[in-house]
């Protein structure tokens, strides 16, 4: 059985992420979307909330599950018997950022990283830009799965009094 890991921060998951997860699910028997925990960063959503939102956004994909991990990604990949890491690439900036990690992960464990070129429709999307636009009142509805958009709007309303 071929298992792939789709790792990231997913704070929150965007339509671009979901496209990469969906395309990965067509290539591998099982895709495990893995939310990496970074305790030094306070996100918009907790790790449990991110997991729930990814689950809602991928609920039609029967071979996708969502988990979290604290530590080296390749240790997690080895634990679950994954033979691949899958990441999306929006452009050359992503390539510069991702390629040293992919090479490091390969040299640590032999696990290859597979890159999917982002659909140009999603080429401008990142979780951090979406949050910034939302914070200043911009319309991020077209960029997010519907349940994620609702959660972002609600979180903005909760935080407007902070
Ligand atoms: O969503 P992001 O921020 O692009 O995801 C980056 C992430 C979390 C996938 C990457 O930083 C990662 O794999 N972190 C886990 C710790 C790890 O394995 N570090 C060594 C990478 S060579």
């Amino acid at each position: 059985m071929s298992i792939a890991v789709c790792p990231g921060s997913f704070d929150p998951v965007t339509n671009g992420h979901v496209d990469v997860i969906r395309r990965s699910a067509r290539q591998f028997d099982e895709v495990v979307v893995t939310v990496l925990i970074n305790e030094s960063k306070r996100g918009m959503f907790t790790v449990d909330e991110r997991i729930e939102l990814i689950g809602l956004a991928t609920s039609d994909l029967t071979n996708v599950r969502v988990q979290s991990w604290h530590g080296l990604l390749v240790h997690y990949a080895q634990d679950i018997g994954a033979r691949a890491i899958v990441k999306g690439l929006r452009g050359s900036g992503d390539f510069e950022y991702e390629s040293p990690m992919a090479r490091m992960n390969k040299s640590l464990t032999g696990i290859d990283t597979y890159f999917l070129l982002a659909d140009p429709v999603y080429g401008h999307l990142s979780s951090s830009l979406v949050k910034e636009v939302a914070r200043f009142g911009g319309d991020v509805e077209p960029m997010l799965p519907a349940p994620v958009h609702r959660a972002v709007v609600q979180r903005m309303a909760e935080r407007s009094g902070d």
Side-chain angles (χ1 to χ4, degrees):
M1 172 151 121
S2 62
I3 304 174
V5 174
C6 269
S9 313
F10 301 109
D11 184 42
V13 67
T14 68
N15 286 340
H17 293 129
V18 173
D19 185 55
V20 169
I21 296 166
R22 191 173 294 284
R23 288 158 64 196
S24 306
R26 289 203 288 264
Q27 302 300 329
F28 295 92
D29 295 323
E30 184 173 28
V31 172
V32 184
V33 182
T34 311
V35 179
L36 271 303
I37 300 170
N38 179 351
E39 274 141 10
S40 64
K41 261 189 176 173
R42 179 178 177 247
M44 174 177 274
F45 295 100
T46 66
V47 170
D48 286 344
E49 287 169 335
R50 293 177 210 182
I51 290 173
E52 188 188 346
L53 291 173
I54 298 165
L56 290 170
T58 59
S59 59
D60 61 316
L61 300 172
T62 52
N63 61 336
V64 171
R65 61 193 167 97
V66 193
Q67 297 200 323
S68 62
W69 178 253
H70 182 259
L72 276 186
L73 173 64
V74 284
H75 286 162
Y76 177 75
Q78 281 181 318
D79 273 6
I80 63 165
R83 69 152 204 231
I85 295 164
V86 181
K87 301 263 343 213
L89 287 185
R90 288 161 299 193
S92 55
D94 281 353
F95 178 77
E96 298 297 329
Y97 173 69
E98 296 289 349
S99 52
M101 289 198 283
R103 290 196 176 108
M104 176 62 82
N105 287 335
K106 169 84 170 162
S107 81
L108 288 170
T109 57
I111 297 176
D112 267 312
T113 299
Y114 293 70
F115 292 113
L116 292 181
L117 268 189
D119 187 312
V121 168
Y122 307 119
H124 59 301
L125 293 189
S126 70
S127 301
S128 47
L129 271 185
V130 165
K131 283 185 285 190
E132 182 165 327
V133 171
R135 233 174 249 130
F136 291 107
D139 179 17
V140 292
E141 188 166 10
M143 305 168 196
L144 299 171
V148 179
H149 179 249
R150 283 195 289 276
V152 167
V153 169
Q154 189 182 337
R155 189 54 41 96
M156 288 298 149
E158 286 162 8
R159 292 207 175 153
S160 63
D162 285 2

